[in-house]
Amino acid sequence: TKFVYSFDEGNKDMRSLLGGKGANLAEMTNIGLPVPQGFTITTEACNDYYENDHKIRKEILDQIDEKLDQLEKEQGKTLGAEQNPLLVSVRSGAVFSMPGMMDTILNLGLNDTSIKGLIESTNNERFSYDSYRRFIQMFSDVAMEVPKYKFENVLERVKEEKGYKFDTELSIDDLKEIVVEFKNIYKKEVGEDFPQDPKKQLLLAIEAVFRSWNNPRAVVYRKLNDIANNLGTAVNIQSMVFGNMGTDSGTGVAFTRNPSTGENKLFGEYLINAQGEDVVAGIRTPQSIDTLKNDMPEMYNQFVEITQILEGHYKDMQDIEFTIEKGKLYILQTRNGKRTAKAAINVVVDLVNAGVIDKEEAIMRIEPGQLDQLLHPTFDQKALKSAELLAKGLPASPGAASGKVYFHADDVVEHAKLGEKTLLVRQETSPEDIEGMVSSEGILTARGGMTSHAAVVARGMGKCCVAGCGELRVDEAAKEIRVGDRVIKEGQFMSIDGSTGCVYLGSIEMTSVEVGGNFGVFMGWVDEIRDMKVRTNADNPRDAKKAIEFGAEGIGLCRTEHMFFEEERIPAVREMILADNVEDRVKALDKLLPFQREDFHGIFKAMDGRPCNIRLLDPPLHEFLPHEDSAIEELAKQMGIRPTELKKRVVDLDEFNPMLGHRGCRLAVTYPEICEMQARAIAQGAILAMKDGHKVVPEIMVPLIGTVNELKMLRPIIEEAVNSELEKAGVEMDYTVGTMIEIPRACVTADEIAEVADFFSFGTNDLTQMGFGYSRDDAGKFLGEYVDKGVLEKDPFQVLDQKGIGKLVEMAVKLGRGTNPELKLGICGEHGGEPSSVEFCYNQGLNYVSCSPFRVPIARLAVAQSTI
Ligand code: ADP
Ligand code: MG
Ligand code: MG
C-alpha cells in the first residue's frame, strides 16, 4: 500500500486519505500556487498505527524515508544538517477540519549543529535562536507532553528581569540562555537529553500527531460535530518558511469574505515578524489585512490575486493561511471557511446570483441546524438604551447573550448544569475550553483578534462572542474583571453583543428576529424545490402567527390542555376533575366551553384557511390538581368543601405510573362528556371564524389510541357533537377525525385503525418512550451514559431511532395506507424539526412534518435537501 504521497501526487478529492489540509496543499501545488513543498502520510497509516499497537510499521517508515530523501534533493538541503539544513513542520490534518484541535510542530530538524547551518544560511543569529527555542517548546509540549507553562515561565522571568514588554525585544544572548534552560527543562521532565537526531525528532513528532487524534479536546470536538472516531488523521511534513525573519516577513490568516456577515471583502489579520501560531493564539493583537496594502503593497496585491484564484477554484469562501519570508509570499493552507449562518446564506445567495453555483447546490450547502442561529433573539432596542455599556471589543460572532460570568470552563459547565445562564470570560480561550464554550450563552475574551481561537470556534457553534476586549482586565485567578474603577466578580450578570462588540453590565431583555433579505430569497428557493409540507406545533394564536412568519403551512399539533392552566379557567378545570357524578361534571364543562371556543376561534383566525390539527385532552388529570397540603386547603376553601374530602380525591387520582395510566383517549372513553365538550368548542370556534370570513380546516385528533375499538367508540361522539353544532348554526364545514399514533400496538394494528381514521399523526415522543420502554421523565439518569458508552448512538428523544422506532412508523404507514389509501400522514413529535428525522419522514412518504415555530425553517430546508 502507498502510505506516503508527495504534494504533487495528490489532489482535493483525496480528502479521506490525505486529510483536508493535505488534499488542499496538493491541490494548490497542482494549480501552481507558491506552497512550500512536502509530503503527506495518509490517514490509513494513522489507523495502521493504532491497529499495530501504537507502532509505525517498517513498510511505512521506509516510505517516509524515501519521500524525505526526495524532498531533500528537491530543496537542496538535508534535514538537520550542519550546512544548509532543511527544517520542516509536522502538521496534523483530519478529513474534516478541526481547527486547533490537534497539534502541529514547527522548525523540526533544529539541533545544536544545524543551528549553525541556519545562522550561516540566513545570516540571522537572533532569528535562528528564536526558532530553536520555539521548536524545543513545541516539541516538548506536543510530542513529550511537557507542560507549556514550564517554558512560558522561563520566558516571562527573563523578560521581567530585563524589563522587556515583547518577545521581540529579547537579545541574541537572552535567547541563547533560554535555549539552554529549555533543554534543561526537557531533560528534567523527560529524563533524557533533548533529541539531537533529526530523524528521531521526526519520528516522535509523527507519532505525536497520530496520538493527538485521540486527545481529549479532539474527542470532544468530534462528538460535538458528529465526526466518526475511526477516520484517523493524516500527517503533513512540509518544508518551513519563516515569517519571523525580520520586518520584511510576517504571517497571517484571511477569509475571502467576511465570515460573520458574508460581505464580499477580504477579511483577515497578520503580524509582522512572527511565526505561524502567533496570530491564531492571540498572543499579540494582530493588524487588519487592510493595512498590509500600505505595509507591503506588492505582497498585498499578490495575496489578493491568490485569494481570488482560490475562491474561484473551490467555488466557496476560503480561509487561507499565508506567510511572507523576506518579501516572498507562501500559501500554507486553504479550506472552506467556517462562517455564521447569516454569512452562509449571504455567500450562497451571492454565488448563485454570480452564476458560480446553482440553487440546488446552494440549498445543499446550508446545514439546516445552522439556521437556528438566525432565528435567535437579539437585545431589545429599548432595554439596550438604558443598559450600562462597560467596554467594547471585537464583534467576533453575532447574536446576543446575558449570563452570569465565570472564568473557567469547568465552572461554566458546572453552573450551566444547574440551569444558570452563563458567560465564559477568559483572557483568551484555548481548545481546552471547548466544553465551557458549548455550555455558555456566549464568550468574552480580553485578548485575541477576529481569527483568534474564541472567535473561530464560537462562529462555528453559532455562539455569540466578543473577543479582544482590551479594556477589561480579566483576572482568572482572582475570578474578577476590572474595568475603569469597577470590579465585576464571578457570578454577576453581564451581557455581550457579538454583532457590535459591546459589553454591558447586568442582563438585558431580548427580542425576536426579522426574517427577510437574503434569508427570504434563500427560503424561497427552498420552497420551490421542497415537496413535503411543514406545519407547526402551536397551542395559541401568538405561536401560530410566529410560525406562519417562519413559513408554517398549518398546525400539526395543538395541545388543548395547555389552555387549561390559565388562571381564570383552572377553577373550572378542577371542578370538572373533582366532580363525582356526570351532572356536576357537565356543569363544570359548560363553564369551560366558552373559553375553549374562544381559543379555537383565535387559532382558526390566525391560521386563516390552513389546516389545524387539534388534539383532545391528553394528560392525566392529577396534573391539574395541587399536591401540597397548604394548596389543597386553599382550593378546598374556594370550592366550599372540606380539605380532607379534597385530599382524598387528590390521592384517588394519583397514579403509580401516570405516563401509562388514565390519560389520552382513556379519559374520553370513561368521561365521554369531556370529549363531547371539546368537539363542540372546536365546532363553535370554527363557525365563529367562518362568520368572520375565514376558511377553516379542522382536524380533530384523538390521542393515545391502542386499539381500534377506542376510536370506534369516540368517533361517533365527536361527529355527533360537531354535526349538531353545524346544524344549529346552519352552516356546512369539512372536517376530519383521526388519531395520534404513539403506542406500539397502534402501529402493529394500523390497518384496522386506518379504517376508522382520516389521518395518522405520529407522536414520536411517546412512541419512543413506549417503544424503548424508557420513561421520558427518568431517561435523563441513564441516557447520557448510554450515548457516551456507545450503547446508543444518539439520544432517541432528539434523533429518531430509525432502526427500531422508525420501523414501527414504517409498518404503520404501510398497514394504514393498505386499508385506507386516502390516509393523511404526519409527524408531530420533537423529531419533526430534526433534519435526519425529517429526511426519514420524507422517505416514508409522509404528507407533512410538524415542529415548534423556531424550527420550521430548519424543517423546510431539511425537506428541500431530502427532495434533492
Ligand atoms: P492548525 O490546524 O492548528 O491551523 P497548522 O498545521 O495549520 O495547524 O499550523 C499551525 C500554524 O503553523 C499555522 O499558522 C501555519 O500557517 C503555520 N505553519 C505550518 N507549517 C508551516 C511551515 N512549513 N512554514 C511556516 N509556517 C507553518
Ligand atoms: Mg491551520
Ligand atoms: Mg403523546
Side-chain angles (χ1 to χ4, degrees):
T1 330
K2 187 170 167 65
F3 285 105
V4 187
Y5 289 74
S6 310
F7 290 169
D8 58 12
E9 291 176 315
N11 64 55
K12 72 173 183 337
D13 300 322
M14 294 169 72
R15 293 177 67 93
S16 64
L17 196 58
L18 303 180
K21 200 180 284 168
N24 286 340
L25 285 168
E27 185 78 9
M28 290 195 290
T29 300
N30 295 340
I31 59 176
L33 298 182
V35 175
Q37 284 304 288
F39 52 89
T40 304
I41 303 167
T42 62
T43 53
E44 281 176 3
C46 175
N47 291 329
D48 188 275
Y49 166 85
Y50 279 107
E51 277 157 31
N52 192 37
D53 201 18
H54 293 220
K55 278 189 206 73
I56 305 178
R57 279 191 299 125
K58 172 134 194 324
E59 182 192 351
I60 301 175
L61 290 175
D62 288 345
Q63 291 188 28
I64 294 173
D65 269 346
E66 189 190 313
K67 286 294 174 197
L68 180 62
D69 274 352
Q70 194 186 319
L71 182 65
E72 288 176 334
K73 290 215 179 77
E74 279 166 20
Q75 303 280 314
K77 296 178 178 175
T78 309
L79 188 70
E82 185 166 354
Q83 272 182 345
N84 206 13
L86 173 68
L87 302 184
V88 295
S89 62
V90 177
R91 318 173 67 185
S92 63
V95 179
F96 300 101
S97 109
M98 300 168 57
M101 284 299 134
M102 292 190 296
D103 299 315
T104 290
I105 297 173
L106 302 180
N107 308 333
L108 186 136
L110 274 176
N111 57 28
D112 295 348
T113 46
S114 64
I115 179 118
K116 290 179 202 146
L118 187 65
I119 294 170
E120 201 181 281
S121 62
T122 61
N123 202 6
N124 191 334
E125 199 174 3
R126 191 186 179 285
F127 150 79
S128 302
Y129 278 101
D130 189 48
S131 304
Y132 197 14
R133 66 101 187 158
R134 286 171 190 263
F135 170 53
I136 298 172
Q137 174 174 348
M138 258 192 257
F139 183 87
S140 307
D141 169 31
V142 175
M144 310 312 286
E145 282 156 36
V146 183
K148 258 191 249 175
Y149 75 86
K150 304 224 168 194
F151 300 95
E152 301 281 358
N153 284 352
V154 171
L155 212 58
E156 287 303 316
R157 199 200 68 224
V158 175
K159 275 160 67 181
E160 207 174 283
E161 278 169 11
K162 308 268 162 142
Y164 303 149
K165 220 169 130 201
F166 299 109
D167 295 2
T168 40
E169 293 171 80
L170 294 164
S171 71
I172 296 173
D173 286 334
D174 296 334
L175 288 167
K176 277 186 183 164
E177 186 193 315
I178 288 169
V179 165
V180 172
E181 284 204 50
F182 276 17
K183 282 196 289 196
N184 287 339
I185 296 176
Y186 185 94
K187 181 153 193 194
K188 184 154 160 258
E189 295 290 324
V190 181
E192 52 187 75
D193 283 323
F194 186 77
Q196 293 291 319
D197 175 1
K199 290 248 169 97
K200 183 172 173 195
Q201 293 176 351
L202 184 62
L203 203 66
L204 288 170
I206 292 169
E207 284 180 338
V209 174
F210 284 163
R211 280 201 308 273
S212 75
W213 173 253
N214 273 334
N215 75 26
R217 55 183 203 252
V219 172
V220 170
Y221 187 91
R222 286 201 293 274
K223 201 172 141 194
L224 275 174
N225 290 281
D226 267 332
I227 300 174
N229 276 320
N230 60 2
L231 298 175
T233 179
V235 185
N236 302 289
I237 314 293
Q238 186 174 26
S239 43
M240 283 299 300
V241 289
F242 299 101
N244 54 337
M245 288 191 76
T247 49
D248 56 353
S249 304
T251 183
V253 184
F255 290 80
T256 53
R257 293 166 192 247
N258 183 313
S260 288
T261 63
E263 188 195 355
N264 192 0
K265 177 171 180 293
L266 197 61
F267 176 93
E269 294 164 329
Y270 70 102
L271 278 172
I272 292 288
N273 198 8
Q275 200 169 39
E277 308 261 78
D278 297 357
V279 177
V280 223
I283 287 167
R284 273 191 271 154
T285 301
Q287 282 173 282
S288 153
I289 194 82
D290 290 336
T291 64
L292 187 65
K293 206 185 295 185
N294 301 325
D295 275 4
M296 301 183 186
E298 172 66 10
M299 291 293 99
Y300 180 80
N301 290 338
Q302 276 183 28
F303 182 62
V304 168
E305 195 183 319
I306 288 175
T307 62
Q308 284 163 356
I309 292 172
L310 282 172
E311 188 177 288
H313 189 75
Y314 286 94
K315 298 188 194 317
D316 199 357
M317 173 178 111
Q318 295 296 297
D319 167 0
I320 303 164
E321 288 175 5
F322 66 95
T323 284
I324 299 166
E325 177 182 304
K326 300 182 99 176
K328 182 157 175 16
L329 176 67
Y330 295 93
I331 305 298
L332 288 161
Q333 186 174 344
T334 193
R335 63 184 167 203
N336 292 340
K338 293 213 188 288
R339 63 203 80 178
T340 62
K342 182 173 167 192
I345 298 278
N346 286 339
V347 169
V348 294
V349 170
D350 238 37
L351 291 176
V352 170
N353 290 341
V356 179
I357 58 173
D358 61 18
K359 291 179 189 175
E360 296 198 352
E361 172 73 37
I363 287 169
M364 293 313 289
R365 278 200 192 171
I366 306 291
E367 172 94 42
Q370 229 197 344
L371 294 184
D372 213 27
Q373 274 180 45
L374 283 179
L375 309 168
H376 273 315
T378 48
F379 288 136
D380 177 70
Q381 285 306 310
K382 239 168 74 198
L384 201 57
K385 283 206 180 97
S386 54
E388 182 183 344
L389 183 67
L390 277 183
K392 209 164 169 186
L394 301 170
S397 177
S402 292
K404 294 185 181 176
V405 299
Y406 292 98
F407 298 88
H408 297 276
D410 293 347
D411 294 340
V412 165
V413 172
E414 188 180 310
H415 287 269
K417 270 198 192 133
L418 300 173
E420 282 179 26
K421 289 199 181 308
T422 63
L423 295 180
L424 175 64
V425 183
R426 301 279 300 162
Q427 196 61 267
E428 65 208 29
T429 63
S430 74
E432 282 93 34
D433 294 327
I434 184 115
E435 278 180 286
M437 298 176 78
V438 174
S439 301
S440 70
E441 304 294 310
I443 298 133
L444 171 62
T445 67
R447 278 200 263 169
M450 295 293 280
T451 51
S452 65
H453 178 265
V456 172
V457 175
R459 279 196 294 271
M461 286 180 187
K463 281 268 141 101
C464 85
C465 174
V466 172
C469 190
E471 292 164 69
L472 302 182
R473 267 168 301 140
V474 174
D475 188 336
E476 288 162 8
K479 300 190 175 179
E480 60 178 36
I481 303 170
R482 285 176 183 274
V483 49
D485 44 19
R486 273 193 178 285
V487 183
I488 295 117
K489 299 222 175 274
E490 181 183 69
Q492 270 182 268
F493 269 102
M494 283 175 67
S495 298
I496 58 174
D497 187 332
S499 314
T500 62
C502 291
V503 177
Y504 305 91
L505 193 69
S507 79
I508 303 173
E509 209 179 304
M510 309 270 196
T511 58
S512 42
V513 281
E514 286 296 319
V515 281
N518 277 345
F519 179 74
V521 171
F522 177 78
M523 292 308 291
W525 299 341
V526 162
D527 289 343
E528 274 170 30
I529 282 170
R530 174 169 70 92
D531 65 359
M532 176 170 73
K533 301 264 183 208
V534 175
R535 296 194 190 182
T536 191
N537 299 350
D539 307 334
N540 55 56
R542 190 193 64 236
D543 289 358
K545 279 195 194 116
K546 175 100 259 167
I548 291 172
E549 272 173 42
F550 285 151
E553 297 166 292
I555 288 181
L557 175 63
C558 174
R559 302 171 170 96
T560 46
E561 65 270 13
H562 283 191
M563 306 161 167
F564 280 19
F565 284 99
E566 271 171 40
E567 226 179 296
E568 326 100 61
R569 23 190 121 169
I570 192 85
V573 172
R574 288 171 171 164
E575 232 176 89
M576 163 196 85
I577 294 169
L578 296 166
D580 48 14
N581 58 66
V582 179
E583 285 83 68
D584 285 355
R585 197 172 306 115
V586 170
K587 237 193 275 165
L589 285 167
D590 283 345
K591 288 187 202 163
L592 272 177
L593 189 133
F595 289 124
Q596 290 252 282
R597 175 173 61 218
E598 265 324 295
D599 294 332
F600 296 135
H601 180 195
I603 284 182
F604 284 125
K605 274 205 300 203
M607 292 315 285
D608 198 20
R610 298 174 182 85
C612 265
N613 179 317
I614 296 168
R615 180 181 70 180
L616 302 180
L617 190 63
D618 184 53
L621 295 180
H622 74 95
E623 281 191 12
F624 300 100
L625 295 179
H627 288 92
E628 311 220 328
D629 281 348
S630 58
I632 291 178
E633 263 165 46
E634 197 175 314
L635 179 60
K637 212 188 285 163
Q638 276 172 27
M639 295 179 62
I641 56 173
R642 269 178 299 142
T644 46
E645 199 179 314
L646 180 58
K647 178 129 198 211
K648 184 170 167 293
R649 193 75 181 108
V650 170
V651 171
D652 274 353
L653 280 169
D654 240 3
E655 292 176 310
F656 287 108
N657 202 343
M659 274 299 172
L660 301 177
H662 193 186
R663 59 174 282 223
C665 66
R666 299 160 203 170
L667 291 168
V669 169
T670 49
Y671 306 128
E673 50 286 356
I674 299 180
C675 165
E676 194 204 319
M677 179 282 282
Q678 288 199 301
R680 272 187 204 287
I682 293 169
Q684 291 178 4
I687 290 164
L688 287 176
M690 285 193 285
K691 288 202 172 133
D692 296 338
H694 295 282
K695 224 183 134 243
V696 295
V697 187
E699 300 171 348
I700 302 174
M701 178 156 77
V702 182
L704 221 70
I705 291 287
T707 151
V708 67
N709 290 335
E710 289 163 321
L711 193 60
K712 277 191 180 154
M713 166 176 231
L714 296 172
R715 183 169 183 134
I717 295 175
I718 295 165
E719 283 176 338
E720 209 167 294
V722 173
N723 294 344
S724 81
E725 290 300 328
L726 292 174
E727 235 163 78
K728 242 193 287 175
V731 294
E732 284 184 13
M733 175 183 86
D734 287 332
Y735 67 97
T736 52
V737 179
T739 82
M740 197 133 163
I741 298 288
E742 50 190 337
I743 287 183
R745 190 181 188 283
C747 296
V748 178
T749 59
D751 46 349
E752 288 179 5
I753 298 173
E755 285 176 337
V756 214
D758 301 321
F759 61 84
F760 285 172
S761 172
F762 290 98
T764 46
N765 298 345
D766 262 319
L767 192 57
T768 299
Q769 164 164 272
M770 294 190 225
F772 270 99
Y774 294 163
S775 156
R776 254 196 282 173
D777 301 319
D778 302 303
K781 288 192 186 132
F782 55 86
L783 267 189
E785 242 178 282
Y786 262 52
V787 174
D788 285 345
K789 292 188 171 155
V791 177
L792 289 177
E793 210 182 309
K794 300 262 171 59
D795 174 349
F797 290 105
Q798 282 171 27
V799 179
L800 186 74
D801 160 54
Q802 298 186 12
K803 212 177 200 165
I805 306 303
K807 191 147 221 180
L808 287 169
V809 172
E810 190 183 335
M811 182 185 281
V813 169
K814 286 217 178 90
L815 289 174
R817 286 232 166 105
T819 55
N820 179 359
E822 300 294 297
L823 190 71
K824 198 178 210 184
L825 298 167
I827 176 178
C828 62
E830 285 306 306
H831 305 98
E834 192 283 315
S836 72
S837 313
V838 170
E839 187 180 4
F840 172 81
C841 293
Y842 180 86
N843 293 334
Q844 294 304 316
L846 265 52
N847 300 87
Y848 68 87
V849 294
S850 185
C851 54
S852 62
F854 276 95
R855 303 188 93 177
V856 165
I858 298 174
R860 282 157 73 199
L861 177 53
V863 173
Q865 293 187 344
S866 310
T867 309
I868 294 168

